[in-house]
Amino acid sequence: MDVPLWLALLVVGYLGIKLTRPPAWLIAVLLLGGYLIADSALAPVVNTAIK
């Protein structure tokens, strides 16, 4: 079964928010931080750490 990445992330994010109830500022910091790191010089370091 092939599930699009955006759909999987949407479902996991929704369930994570509903189950753990993190503060809104934490969600914003994680999303913004991930976006900024993905477009920076740290992206290759993060990529190798994840793999």
Side-chain angles (χ1 to χ4, degrees), residues 4-37:
L5 180 61
W6 63 268
L7 181 60
L9 289 175
L10 185 69
V11 169
V12 169
Y14 177 77
L15 290 176
I17 290 171
K18 291 300 260 186
L19 295 176
T20 61
R21 304 259 184 207
W25 64 266
L26 181 61
I27 296 169
V29 166
L30 289 174
L31 288 174
L32 183 62
Y35 177 76
L36 292 176
I37 287 175

Side-chain angles (χ1 to χ4, degrees), residues 30-50:
L30 289 174
L31 288 174
L32 183 62
Y35 177 76
L36 292 176
I37 287 175
D39 197 32
S40 72
L42 293 175
V45 176
V46 174
N47 192 21
T48 55
I50 291 174

